Amino acid sequence: MAIKSKKKTAEKTKAVLHSLENTPRCIKPKVKSKSDVADYLNFLRALASPERLSILKALEAHPLCTSDIEQRFFMEQSTASHHLTTLLRANIVNCRI
């Protein structure tokens, strides 16, 4: 598996945004500003991880705490916390205290 540099990722992101400018208006995503684009990219990046997708599938059934996720997916606490923080920042999950 090749490791892509951030520069190549940025170039691909620019290419995708450029192609969106040339798509018909009826299928364009409603992006109003650069912050909307950043939010959309954060959302897609959060879903790009197989581990996070597995966590989401488990959370569909019922709420889980970090320790439950650690045990279920055989993760270190820091790894589970990282995945949950990524999902939280992308507004995919919410935190209940």
Side-chain angles (χ1 to χ4, degrees):
M1 185 166 104
I3 298 173
K4 296 178 184 175
S5 69
K6 288 184 180 182
K7 185 177 180 182
K8 287 184 181 181
T9 303
E11 290 170 0
K12 285 187 178 186
T13 302
K14 286 179 186 177
V16 168
L17 293 176
H18 179 70
S19 69
L20 287 174
E21 291 172 359
N22 298 325
T23 57
R25 190 165 187 77
C26 62
I27 60 171
K28 279 188 181 180
K30 294 182 180 181
V31 177
K32 297 178 182 176
S33 67
K34 286 186 179 183
S35 67
D36 288 342
V37 172
D39 291 344
Y40 186 63
L41 290 175
N42 285 336
F43 177 81
L44 293 175
R45 286 180 184 137
L47 295 178
S49 166
E51 292 86 5
R52 287 192 282 270
L53 289 175
S54 297
I55 292 169
L56 284 175
K57 188 172 182 176
L59 289 171
E60 283 180 339
H62 52 81
L64 297 170
C65 65
T66 306
S67 61
D68 294 337
I69 291 170
E70 290 171 37
Q71 292 173 0
R72 180 176 278 191
F73 296 102
F74 306 103
M75 294 180 174
E76 295 289 326
Q77 187 275 332
S78 59
T79 305
S81 181
H82 169 75
H83 287 309
L84 290 172
T85 300
T86 302
L87 293 169
L88 184 65
R89 286 183 180 160
N91 294 318
I92 298 173
V93 298
N94 57 19
C95 181
R96 193 172 66 168
I97 299 174

